[in-house]
Amino acid sequence: EVQLVESGGGLVQPGGSLRLSCAASGFRFVDYNIGWFRQVPGKEREGVSCPSSTGGTAYYAGSVKGRFTISTDNAKDTVYLQMNSLKPEDTAVYYCAAQRVGTSTCHPAWFDYWGQGTQVTVSS
């Protein structure tokens, strides 16, 4: 069974940090790229960060560039999103999703499998 499970969300004050984890199972991990998305009520799901299929520069949404970092631990079949200098506007449900390698678009329509999401709330 294909499964993606996010963890690490929670409540944090502005300027704080969180690290989200996405644990993958049920498919060949190296055949997929795993990216991060987020969604707030009333808005479409948006790409936050997606890795490069070629080992080049990862994609980051302009609003998170310089603050968020995506990384992969192949030994653990896990992808992380390190989030620093968090802002209230980062508040959202964060999802990880898997995409066949070779696909380069960090858009929800191009991803095949999705996790259930984890809530991140940035508030004082």
Side-chain angles (χ1 to χ4, degrees):
E1 180 182 1
V2 174
Q3 193 169 22
L4 296 169
V5 180
E6 302 96 336
S7 61
L11 175 64
V12 64
Q13 293 185 349
S17 297
L18 288 173
R19 188 178 74 161
L20 305 183
S21 298
C22 176
S25 62
F27 59 91
R28 186 171 166 83
F29 185 76
V30 296
D31 289 340
Y32 287 81
N33 296 318
I34 297 178
W36 288 96
F37 299 80
R38 67 185 181 187
Q39 188 168 24
V40 299
K43 298 186 67 176
E44 294 185 349
R45 193 169 298 184
E46 66 172 348
V48 176
S49 182
C50 292
S52 170
S53 297
T54 61
T57 303
Y59 167 84
Y60 295 94
S63 58
V64 308
K65 195 173 299 182
R67 300 187 296 119
F68 291 11
T69 304
I70 190 170
S71 61
T72 301
D73 187 339
N74 288 323
K76 296 182 178 180
D77 288 357
T78 300
V79 176
Y80 304 96
L81 184 68
Q82 179 67 46
M83 305 187 295
N84 298 326
S85 302
L86 283 162
K87 304 175 180 180
E89 52 263 44
D90 295 318
T91 296
V93 177
Y94 284 72
Y95 300 87
C96 62
Q99 168 192 76
R100 277 279 187 178
V101 296
T103 310
S104 61
T105 301
C106 196
H107 188 281
W110 290 89
F111 285 74
D112 303 302
Y113 305 111
W114 291 84
Q116 80 289 343
T118 185
Q119 177 72 46
V120 172
T121 302
V122 185
S123 177
S124 59

